[in-house]
Amino acid sequence: MTLYKAYADDLAEMIERGALKAGQRMPSVREAARHRGLSVVTVLKAYHWLEARGLIVARERSGYYVGSRPQAYPPQPAVSRSATVSTAVKKGDLIFEVLDAVQRRVVVPLGSAFPSPLLFPLQSLYRSLNRSVRHLDPWRTVTDLAPGNWELRRQISLRYHIDGMEIPPDELVITDGAMEALNLCLQAVTRPGDAVVIESPTFYVALQALERLGLRAIEVATHPGEGIDLAALEAVLRQQRPAACWLMPNFQNPTGALIPEERKEQLVALLERYRVPMIEDDVYGELYYASTRPKPAKAFDHSGNVLHCSSFSKCLAPGYRIGWTAPGRHAAAVRRLKLGTTLSAAIPSQLALANYLEGAGYDRHLRRLRDALFVERDAMINAIREFFPEGTRVTRPEGGYFLWVEMPRGTDSLQLHRRALEQGISIAPGAIFTARDRYSNCLRLNYGHPQDRRVLRALKTLGQLARECR
């Protein structure tokens, strides 16, 4: 446990048993630092953690005070339902309409799919890029074509090994981000007209890929906290014989759901029994708040049936567009598709990341990033509880940086999206996360942008607009 969390836990326990009473002034940051032998930064982080949970409150020019007893977390959204038949996907226009708004810098990016770029070690990456290209061997432009730079694949393989998984470098294919990895894997195991299992709700990138390739979607019931319903999935596998399954077991986008480890093992065994390949999107796996990284489904794959995909875009290097896939028994097909489309991911980006991963900076960065996201999660949940209509439900993910918000029935989140844009606020309405007409009263919010007055005002405005969009 990090120092600030240990200190914050001590203070939370004192508040809980009444040793620190509501309204009592907390020691100043410098006073607490001297008393506990901690740095000022550590104490500040502990206070921010407590503040995000409503245990203490900051008063301008006065310091921190013990708050009133915090309210319980809002309830989770409802479990979704499975579709009885597959459906064609026609959501491209709506998805592009929503995504276009996120790219404008003046907009408060609560609908963005990326955390704040200020949370990443961009200067350190720049130095790694500078070092690696200064003496670039011209033959790299040939030797580092698909499957990609050997040293980068070795570093990725080593990280899996440290987490208890054996994925050899030879299985890995470096791609232009996870999006290309997922698309290549989908192409390798399907043909136009095939049906593909997806979660309900699902990340809109899956819908875009299905629509582009002429595939049909089978939406399967999904718990907002624990992921896809295995009984519902087996019924679909038995009755509809899909060609593939596209799932996100760790911190699913948009709900943040985490499939428990034993159910991941059951999931992999179930799909192997029906000979249905699983495309695993694991781009948020490093953004966990517990003490250890949750295992991907690939960790339980003994037959090469899981096509595992990940990326550095969400946890280290946005804009470098470096992802990868470990496609199991489909590796040769994926490698051929990569060579036949884009040949290679950018050589300088591959070399820069390989150079950066040689040092110890990545794990330090990940600890800071996880700590920041952990605090911001509860700050946004508290703001939703305060500002949104009564009866609003929200997820409480254990990783990633998304909240799935279910507002009272009758609320129109698409209308809310359009009215919020007029106020300079972006959200991701529920309609873009389904191939059908579902989730009209739901939305996804990004808490990966540090809470400041601008974000707090935006959440307050959203709550007011949500009451009007019914």
Side-chain angles (χ1 to χ4, degrees):
M1 183 178 292
T2 55
L3 284 174
Y4 90 88
K5 282 184 183 174
Y7 181 45
D9 282 348
D10 287 347
L11 293 174
E13 193 270 335
M14 292 174 70
I15 293 170
E16 182 66 26
R17 61 184 169 85
L20 292 171
K21 301 186 183 300
Q24 181 178 338
R25 188 177 185 277
M26 298 289 291
S28 73
V29 172
R30 294 190 181 280
E31 181 185 351
R34 283 196 306 271
H35 178 69
R36 292 293 294 255
L38 301 171
S39 70
V40 168
V41 172
T42 298
V43 174
L44 265 176
K45 287 175 72 174
Y47 279 15
H48 289 164
W49 187 91
L50 293 167
E51 187 181 14
R53 277 153 184 72
L55 294 173
I56 65 174
V57 293
R59 297 179 187 171
E60 195 169 355
R61 298 182 182 179
S62 182
Y64 290 91
Y65 291 79
V66 179
S68 56
R69 189 175 184 84
Q71 302 175 39
Y73 282 99
Q76 292 251 28
V79 179
S80 65
R81 300 189 311 275
S82 294
T84 54
V85 295
S86 65
T87 183
V89 182
K90 298 178 181 178
K91 285 296 181 86
D93 291 343
L94 177 60
I95 292 170
F96 280 117
E97 175 195 329
V98 173
L99 295 184
D100 182 60
V102 176
Q103 295 177 339
R104 288 177 280 178
R105 189 169 176 178
V106 295
V107 171
V108 182
L110 302 183
S112 170
F114 295 92
S116 169
L118 303 179
L119 295 174
F120 298 97
L122 298 181
Q123 287 302 314
S124 296
L125 287 167
Y126 170 74
R127 288 191 290 271
S128 289
L129 177 63
N130 194 31
R131 282 193 298 269
S132 59
V133 300
R134 191 180 303 146
H135 305 293
L136 176 62
D137 179 355
W139 284 101
R140 291 286 193 190
T141 59
V142 176
T143 60
D144 288 352
L145 296 180
N149 175 261
W150 168 261
E151 181 56 28
L152 178 58
R153 286 184 287 137
R154 190 186 71 82
Q155 291 285 350
I156 294 169
S157 176
L158 178 61
R159 292 196 65 82
Y160 283 121
H161 174 75
I162 292 170
D163 288 326
M165 291 176 57
E166 297 304 326
I167 298 181
D170 287 338
E171 184 184 343
L172 296 167
V173 179
I174 305 298
T175 60
D176 291 303
M179 189 178 297
E180 187 188 37
L182 292 159
N183 275 273
L184 292 175
C185 290
L186 188 62
Q187 287 177 257
V189 297
T190 62
R191 298 294 178 267
D194 283 346
V196 176
V197 168
I198 56 174
E199 294 144 315
S200 182
T202 192
F203 186 26
Y204 52 75
V205 163
L207 298 176
Q208 290 174 304
L210 297 183
E211 184 172 355
R212 182 176 60 82
L213 295 174
L215 301 168
R216 299 176 65 81
I218 306 175
E219 298 184 70
V220 175
T222 302
H223 188 282
E226 297 187 352
I228 195 163
D229 183 321
L230 295 187
L233 174 60
E234 182 164 18
V236 165
L237 296 175
R238 187 173 57 250
Q239 296 164 12
Q240 303 197 44
R241 300 292 178 179
C245 200
W246 177 323
L247 302 176
M248 194 179 293
N250 289 334
F251 316 125
Q252 192 251 8
N253 182 353
T255 64
L258 172 64
I259 299 180
E261 198 163 289
E262 65 277 9
R263 290 184 59 235
K264 280 184 193 151
E265 189 169 10
Q266 294 166 13
L267 168 65
V268 172
L270 175 65
L271 292 171
E272 174 57 29
R273 191 161 72 247
Y274 282 89
R275 304 295 291 175
V276 175
M278 174 183 170
I279 300 166
E280 178 182 29
D281 184 349
D282 192 38
V283 295
Y284 305 105
E286 291 280 19
L287 303 181
Y288 56 90
Y289 307 148
S291 57
T292 56
R293 188 194 198 284
K295 290 183 179 179
K298 183 72 173 177
F300 306 102
D301 177 28
H302 306 298
S303 64
N305 195 48
V306 175
L307 297 88
H308 174 81
C309 303
S310 194
S311 167
F312 290 112
S313 296
K314 303 296 194 296
C315 57
L316 175 63
Y320 280 58
R321 303 306 306 150
I322 294 296
W324 65 90
T325 177
R329 61 175 175 246
H330 304 282
V334 170
R335 193 177 299 121
R336 284 196 299 270
L337 285 167
K338 174 63 179 173
L339 279 169
T341 51
T342 55
L343 286 179
S344 168
I347 304 299
S349 295
Q350 293 187 64
L351 296 177
L353 288 169
N355 180 274
Y356 180 84
L357 292 172
E358 287 177 356
Y362 187 30
D363 286 306
R364 286 197 300 270
H365 155 70
L366 285 174
R367 284 193 293 270
R368 289 193 294 266
L369 179 58
R370 293 176 197 129
D371 288 347
L373 294 175
F374 184 66
V375 171
E376 299 303 337
R377 180 199 68 178
D378 279 12
M380 183 170 282
I381 291 175
N382 284 337
I384 290 169
R385 182 175 56 202
E386 181 176 356
F387 300 133
F388 275 57
E390 186 176 353
T392 296
R393 295 168 171 260
V394 62
T395 54
R396 188 188 173 197
E398 292 303 315
Y401 47 87
F402 295 120
L403 296 179
W404 182 243
V405 182
E406 182 185 289
M407 297 172 292
R409 192 175 297 277
T411 308
D412 187 343
S413 63
L414 195 54
Q415 182 187 3
L416 176 60
H417 152 70
R418 289 164 179 157
R419 292 193 62 185
L421 273 183
E422 296 171 359
Q423 303 292 325
I425 305 164
S426 79
I427 63 169
I432 69 172
F433 299 99
T434 172
R436 297 173 177 270
D437 294 325
R438 293 180 172 180
Y439 310 119
S440 59
N441 63 323
C442 297
L443 59 102
R444 186 198 70 186
L445 294 178
N446 179 332
Y447 59 85
H449 292 258
Q451 295 278 316
D452 55 19
R453 291 181 181 178
R454 184 169 174 249
V455 171
L456 198 62
R457 282 197 302 267
L459 290 167
K460 186 174 183 179
T461 299
L462 280 178
Q464 294 168 345
L465 292 174
R467 290 182 174 86
E468 299 169 9
C469 294
R470 298 188 67 185

